[in-house]
Amino acid sequence: MAEAVEATGAPGRRRRAPGMSADERRAMIVTAALPLVAEYGAAVTTAKVARAAGIGEATIFRVFEDKDALLAACVAEALRPDALLTSLAAISLDQPLADRLTEALDAMREHLARIGAVIGALHATGHLRGREVPKGEGTGTGAGVRTGPGAHTGPGARTDASAAPVPGSREEAMAAPLAAVTALFEPERDRLRMAPEALAKVFVALGQAETSSAGREGVDARELVELFLYGAFDGVRGG
């Protein structure tokens, strides 16, 4: 059959799927597959994905070489920082810095939770053990992270501090989110102990470390922001 078909709802009748480019069809399939991958990990079947997408199973293999290619595309999509960048850009600079950073931390947590749901499910079903997460374009926080022993996941980790970010690297993927967080510090630049760029790196690293820490109750976003801004002593507040 030249094109995938989908049910019309009438018994015994099927109609051709709307015309799409290969890229559009891949995006549509990945969108349908993501929640299933988060739920079932590598155990999800292409038949289940096809049903969720409303297409024939054969259509999946017209745009993906195999199931592993589909799973890799799902990981790359989960890592994309588009939604995070939109949330960070929407934060008003007219509100106090603590409020700005609280909103930013909430957005970062949501982004990392989406990544964790997909990667965690795949790791639990044995798909990503000892592999490197696909770097993909625009992968955002968590990009290029190894899941096996010897993982090197420090924020903005580089072997040569003077070298430019390697294309596709985690550092390059972090550039846009870091720039967005840096912008949140800019109105207070003259009052800050460190440059906004340096503070943004520390803040993002703190948020990532706190979110990825398992086996304990998480700290409220506002409490973590106040700890970052004012330190550990009670009753101390900045200007």
Side-chain angles (χ1 to χ4, degrees):
M1 189 175 294
E3 286 289 334
V5 294
E6 59 184 1
T8 63
R13 296 183 60 192
R14 294 168 70 83
R15 63 179 173 83
R16 292 185 183 277
M20 293 183 180
S21 69
D23 286 344
E24 289 172 335
R25 196 172 296 282
R26 273 191 291 269
M28 179 268 291
I29 292 170
V30 168
T31 297
L34 268 173
L36 297 174
V37 172
E39 182 175 358
Y40 299 106
V44 68
T45 64
T46 51
K48 189 181 292 290
V49 172
R51 285 195 296 273
I55 58 175
E57 188 176 5
T59 302
I60 293 176
F61 298 107
R62 292 192 180 101
V63 290
F64 291 103
E65 182 178 357
D66 51 27
K67 179 179 166 181
D68 279 351
L70 171 59
L71 294 178
C74 287
V75 172
E77 180 62 26
L79 290 169
R80 287 178 62 86
D82 303 54
L84 171 62
L85 294 176
T86 297
S87 296
L88 293 176
I91 297 174
S92 172
L93 298 181
D94 293 332
Q95 59 186 330
L97 179 58
D99 292 341
R100 281 175 250 154
L101 295 183
T102 299
E103 288 189 33
L105 183 56
D106 283 336
M108 288 164 52
R109 284 176 165 179
E110 289 178 10
H111 177 62
L112 291 171
R114 287 192 295 268
I115 295 174
V118 172
I119 293 181
L122 289 173
H123 194 280
T125 51
H127 185 71
L128 290 178
R129 290 176 187 170
R131 303 187 187 185
E132 186 171 342
V133 173
K135 295 181 179 68
E137 54 180 309
T139 47
T141 55
V145 179
R146 289 196 61 83
T147 60
H152 186 51
T153 58
R158 290 164 66 176
T159 55
D160 181 356
S162 63
V166 177
S169 68
R170 182 171 186 265
E171 183 177 14
E172 182 188 61
M174 282 296 300
L178 276 173
V181 174
T182 297
L184 300 179
F185 286 97
E186 280 294 346
E188 280 77 25
R189 175 180 283 271
D190 293 340
R191 300 168 55 205
L192 298 173
R193 182 174 297 177
M194 299 171 64
E197 295 80 3
L199 287 171
K201 288 183 179 181
V202 175
F203 182 73
V204 169
L206 178 64
Q208 289 176 330
E210 191 277 336
T211 303
S212 62
S213 298
R216 65 174 179 77
E217 184 178 352
V219 179
D220 177 77
R222 183 68 182 210
E223 291 178 342
L224 191 62
V225 166
E226 292 187 351
L227 179 63
F228 172 79
L229 289 176
Y230 311 127
F233 290 102
D234 190 28
V236 178
R237 291 291 183 273

